Amino acid sequence: MCGIVGYVGHQSAGPILLEGLHRLEYRGYDSSGIAVLDRDGAIAVLKRQGKLRDLEAAIDVMPAGGAGIGHTRWATHGVPSDRNAHPHASSSGDVVVVQNGIVENYRSLKVELESSLLDRGQGWLSETDTEVIPELIARELDRGCSFVEALRAALGRLQGANAVAAFHRADPSRIYAARKGSAGGIVIGYGDGEMFIASDLPALLPHTTAVYHLEDGEIATIDAEGAVVDRANQPPLRPQPQRVELDPVAIARGPYRHFMLKEMYEQPRALSDTIRGRARLDPPSALADEFNLTDNQLRSVERVLVIGMGTSLHAAMIGRWWLERIAGIPADFDNASEFRFRAPVIGSSTLVVSVTQSGETIDTLGAMDQVRERWGAPQVVITNVDGSEATRKADASILLRCGPEVGVASTKTFVGSLAALYLLACRIGRARGALDETELTESLEHLLTVPSLVERGLQLSEQCSEIAKSYTSAANFLVLGRGIEHPIAMEAALKCKEISYVHAEGYAAGEMKHGPIALLDQKFPVIALATRGPLFDKMMSAIQQVSARQAPVIAIGDEGDTELAELADHYLGVPHATDLLTPFALTPVVQLLAYHIALARGLDIDQPRNLAKTVTVE
Ligand code: M6R
C-alpha cells in the first residue's frame, strides 16, 4: 500500500527521500514521486509511473533543498500514471501533499472546489482523490489560517481514513504530518539536527531508532530540531521519542535471493521466538505472562470468533480447529471485510480474536471497531507489530516476535500466528478445565517441536524446485486438503496466485466431486495434502478420483509413505506430526513450491504486481 516519507534537516532531502522510498518498496506500489523545497521557496516535484528506478532515471539533476516529502502510490482512484503519482500541489503551487488512504467524498469536494480553480483558469490535474487535499488547505490559508489550522480544517472535510504529509512554500524550514483514522501509521524519526517521517520503521532505521508514532487525530509540525504535535482542543505538546529495538540487519536481505526466501528460512527461529516463555512445562502453563485477560475472564467466554484477511484468515481457520479441539469451546472464523457488513450474532461473552500480522489492515481494524462499538465484546489481537493500530483497539495482544516481514507474501508471520492461536487455545482450554495438567503438558510439548518440523520441511527446497520446473507453464492448480489441512490447501493456493500468478484453488477434498472435478484433465495439476491423520483414507480416495481423470498429482504426505508415493506423479515427504500440528509440517513445503514456481517463471517475488504488504484501503 502507499508509502510516505519526509525529511527536514541539514542534508539534501532528495537522496534521503529516495532511499526511504526504496525501504518502503515492499509495501507495494505502481508509481512514485518526491517534492523538494529549498530555502528560497523553490519547489521541485518529480514523479513517475512504474518502479523507483524509473523515477531515478528521470532525475537529471537532484533538486537542492533541505526539506521534502515522498511517496510510493498504490493506485486506487485513477490509473497508475505520471500525473496521478504523488506528490500533488494546490492550484497555487504553494501547498504540496502526499497521502495514504481514500478521500471517500472527493467527488463532491472536487465539485465544491472547482469554481476557484476555474477562476484561476485551471482544472484538476489528476484523476486522484488526493488533489482535493492541497486545494482545501490552500483555501484555508487564503482565509488567514495558520498551516496547522488549515490542515486540520481540510482533514475535517475528508470522509475516510487518511494519513498525509505536506509542506508550504512560505515556510521552507518545516514539514507537516497528520493522521485521521486508520490509514496506516506515520512514524516521526528524531535525528541530530534533522528529522524524518515514514509510514513504516524500515525507512527510518538507517537514520535513527528514536521515534514517535503519530496518533489518530494528531498533526505534527516538524523542523530540523524536533516536532510539535497538535491535537484538537488540547495544548500542543513536544512528544518524547521512544527507542525502538528493530535491528536494521534483520530487514536486510543478506545472502538470500529474495526476502520471501529469507523469511521462509527464518521460520524456525521466528516460531521459537513466538513460543519462547509462553509454553512452560513445569508446572505447565500457556501464555501465562504478557496477556491481559485473566482466567476468570476467559472462563466467562462462551464462544470465540477468529477473524482476519488473506493469509491471516487461513490462520484463523486453523485457530478454530484448535479452539474446538483443545479448548472445547464453540468457535468460528470469519473474513473481517464480510463480517463487518453482515448482522453477526455475537454478544459480550464472545471473545473476538483478530489475526493481522501488520496490525493495520483496514478491513480487520474496521471489524474490531464494530465489535467494540456494537457489542463491547472482549478482543484479542495476534500481530507482529507492537504499537500497531490493532494493538490499541484490543484488550489483549499476543505479539508474534517474528521480526520484520518484508516480502509481500506472509510466511513467517503465518506460522507465528498459528503458534499464537495454539497457545491461546491451550490457555483457554486450561482456564475452562477442558485440559488437565497432563493434557496441557502434552499439548505444549507437541508445540515445542514445531520449529524443528518447519526446519525439516525447509530441507525439501531442492525437490520443490525440481517439481516446480515441471509445471512452469501450468495455467491452473487445484490444491486439496481435508480437516485441519484444508486451510493449508487454501494458503498454498493463495501463495501460488500472489507470487506465481498461477490460478489456483484451495478446496476441501470432499468438495472436489461436487464441481471442481469437471475441470480436471492431463493439464490440470493437483497438489494433494495427505498426511497420515484421521482423514488419510478419504484423501487417498480423492487422489484416486483425480488420477482417474489423468490429472497429475503432487502429493505431500508423511516421510516414507510409499503407498502415497506410488499413487502420485510427484511425492514430497514431510516429517510426521501429531494430527493437530500437521499445518506446521506442510506449510514450508507449499510455500517452497509456490516460491519455486514463481522463480522458474522469472517473477518479481518480493513485490508481486498489484499487491501491497499492508492493505490500508477498503
Ligand atoms: O497484515 P495482515 O495479516 O492483516 O494482512 C492480511 C492480508 O492482506 C495478508 O495476509 C495477505 O493475504 C498476504 N499478502 C498473503 O501472503
Side-chain angles (χ1 to χ4, degrees):
M1 216 73 339
C2 305
I4 287 176
V5 294
Y7 175 80
V8 55
H10 54 79
Q11 300 190 59
S12 173
I16 293 173
L17 296 173
L18 289 169
E19 186 215 351
L21 291 179
H22 273 294
R23 291 180 186 278
L24 295 181
E25 276 192 293
Y26 72 91
R27 293 166 64 95
Y29 70 107
D30 37 46
S31 60
S32 61
I34 58 171
V36 176
L37 175 63
D38 82 5
R39 208 179 291 130
D40 303 321
I43 295 173
V45 179
L46 304 155
K47 44 195 203 176
R48 274 291 178 282
Q49 179 188 346
K51 292 288 177 190
L52 274 163
R53 59 177 172 269
D54 301 309
L55 173 66
E56 286 163 331
I59 301 176
D60 292 332
V61 182
M62 186 64 73
I69 53 180
H71 193 258
T72 44
R73 172 176 187 252
W74 185 84
T76 58
H77 295 61
V79 295
S81 67
D82 291 355
R83 70 194 211 119
N84 286 338
H86 299 208
H88 289 282
S90 59
S91 55
S92 64
D94 292 340
V95 177
V96 181
V97 166
V98 293
Q99 168 227 16
N100 282 2
I102 291 179
V103 181
E104 290 169 1
N105 55 334
Y106 79 101
R107 281 195 198 85
S108 60
L109 289 172
K110 278 197 166 176
V111 171
E112 177 186 323
L113 293 163
E114 214 145 46
S115 58
S116 55
L117 252 74
L118 290 175
D119 288 347
R120 291 178 197 271
Q122 291 176 329
W124 297 107
L125 296 177
S126 77
E127 295 135 22
T128 66
D129 53 338
T130 314
E131 219 184 333
V132 298
I133 304 174
E135 207 55 40
L136 283 169
I137 298 172
R139 189 172 69 176
E140 297 300 322
L141 289 171
D142 287 346
R143 290 173 177 166
C145 290
S146 71
F147 197 87
V148 169
E149 288 165 349
L151 186 48
R152 185 168 299 287
L155 292 175
R157 296 296 317 281
L158 310 184
Q159 282 166 17
N162 284 284
V164 301
F167 64 65
H168 186 207
R169 186 196 299 279
D171 191 353
S173 64
R174 294 195 171 98
I175 59 173
Y176 300 84
R179 269 193 62 189
K180 181 187 183 195
S182 306
I186 290 211
V187 196
I188 301 173
Y190 289 70
D192 189 6
E194 55 186 351
M195 294 284 288
F196 308 82
I197 58 172
S199 303
D200 248 345
L201 283 172
L204 299 182
L205 288 176
H207 305 288
T208 179
T209 55
V211 303
Y212 175 75
H213 290 267
L214 206 62
E215 300 274 351
D216 184 11
E218 291 185 338
I219 297 178
T221 304
I222 304 157
D223 63 22
E225 302 308 322
V228 175
V229 169
D230 279 83
R231 305 159 187 208
N233 309 320
Q234 285 183 47
L237 70 110
R238 277 198 173 269
Q240 276 304 312
Q242 294 178 325
R243 287 272 164 207
V244 285
E245 285 172 13
L246 259 176
D247 175 3
V249 177
I251 50 175
R253 191 153 38 85
Y256 294 94
R257 192 157 171 189
H258 296 100
F259 275 109
M260 181 184 175
L261 190 65
K262 174 181 181 242
E263 287 156 4
M264 285 192 286
Y265 278 92
E266 283 174 350
Q267 290 180 115
R269 196 269 310 144
L271 270 169
S272 301
D273 286 348
T274 306
I275 298 166
R276 187 175 13 91
R278 292 165 167 168
R280 298 209 192 108
L281 295 180
D282 196 16
S285 70
L287 278 182
D289 307 323
E290 306 169 57
F291 186 67
N292 280 351
L293 297 182
T294 62
D295 280 353
N296 265 344
Q297 287 171 300
L298 293 175
R299 272 191 281 275
S300 66
V301 169
E302 289 171 5
R303 178 174 168 248
V304 184
L305 177 66
V306 195
I307 59 174
M309 299 298 296
T311 291
S312 292
L313 177 59
H314 300 150
M317 293 169 76
I318 295 171
R320 176 182 70 169
W321 264 84
W322 289 329
L323 286 156
E324 288 175 344
R325 281 279 297 273
I326 299 173
I329 191 166
D332 213 339
F333 64 84
D334 212 335
N335 172 308
S337 66
E338 290 298 315
F339 166 82
R340 292 174 64 190
F341 299 103
R342 292 206 324 272
V345 181
I346 69 171
S348 56
S349 59
T350 302
L351 176 69
V352 178
V353 180
S354 297
V355 185
T356 166
Q357 69 79 23
S358 63
E360 301 287 351
T361 297
I362 199 150
D363 295 307
T364 309
L365 295 179
M368 292 180 78
D369 283 341
Q370 194 180 46
V371 168
R372 190 189 58 240
E373 285 156 19
R374 286 185 57 187
W375 303 287
Q379 299 202 59
V380 172
V381 66
I382 292 174
T383 184
N384 198 34
V385 184
D386 196 4
S388 58
E389 193 65 17
T391 60
R392 297 170 215 211
K393 292 186 190 293
D395 302 294
S397 305
I398 306 176
L399 294 175
L400 298 181
R401 309 176 185 147
C402 287
E405 187 173 72
V406 174
V408 164
S410 299
T411 53
K412 60 180 177 174
T413 57
F414 175 62
V415 293
S417 300
L418 293 184
L421 283 161
Y422 186 96
L423 283 163
L424 184 63
C426 289
R427 171 75 194 270
I428 295 174
R430 185 70 184 125
R432 289 166 54 84
L435 291 178
D436 63 23
E437 260 200 25
T438 313
E439 288 163 332
L440 178 61
T441 306
E442 194 180 60
S443 300
L444 295 176
E445 277 172 351
H446 289 161
L447 181 67
L448 291 167
T449 67
V450 300
S452 94
L453 280 181
V454 171
E455 184 144 36
R456 286 167 61 197
L458 289 166
Q459 289 164 8
L460 296 174
S461 184
E462 270 304 305
Q463 285 165 262
C464 291
S465 166
E466 281 312 308
I467 294 173
K469 282 177 198 149
S470 312
Y471 295 101
T472 315
S473 53
N476 302 286
F477 280 94
L478 188 63
V479 194
L480 298 178
R482 288 207 66 153
I484 203 166
E485 296 173 7
H486 168 219
I488 299 296
M490 297 186 67
E491 175 59 8
L494 177 62
K495 286 285 162 287
C496 287
K497 281 183 269 216
E498 69 178 333
I499 58 163
S500 323
Y501 310 157
V502 185
H503 170 244
E505 295 292 343
Y507 258 91
E511 186 72 19
M512 179 186 65
K513 54 191 177 296
H514 298 280
I517 198 166
L519 294 166
L520 299 184
D521 61 18
Q522 314 82 300
K523 292 196 191 131
F524 206 125
V526 175
I527 301 173
L529 311 181
T531 63
R532 289 254 167 192
L535 294 167
F536 176 75
D537 289 340
K538 296 194 185 305
M539 268 310 295
M540 288 297 269
S541 304
I543 296 171
Q544 298 275 10
Q545 292 160 19
V546 170
S547 298
R549 273 79 195 173
Q550 277 133 38
V553 175
I554 303 160
I556 310 176
D558 282 2
E559 270 167 0
D561 192 333
T562 48
E563 194 190 352
L564 178 65
E566 276 165 21
L567 201 56
D569 297 271
H570 305 275
Y571 155 76
L572 291 157
V574 298
H576 178 72
T578 63
D579 49 318
L580 283 186
L581 293 179
T582 58
F584 290 100
L586 294 168
T587 294
V589 183
V590 300
Q591 291 169 343
L592 283 166
L593 270 177
Y595 174 83
H596 284 294
I597 294 170
L599 196 63
R601 292 180 165 216
L603 299 173
D604 189 348
I605 291 177
D606 283 332
Q607 292 166 39
R609 68 183 177 209
N610 303 337
L611 286 179
K613 179 71 185 162
T614 307
V615 181
T616 53
V617 295
E618 284 189 56

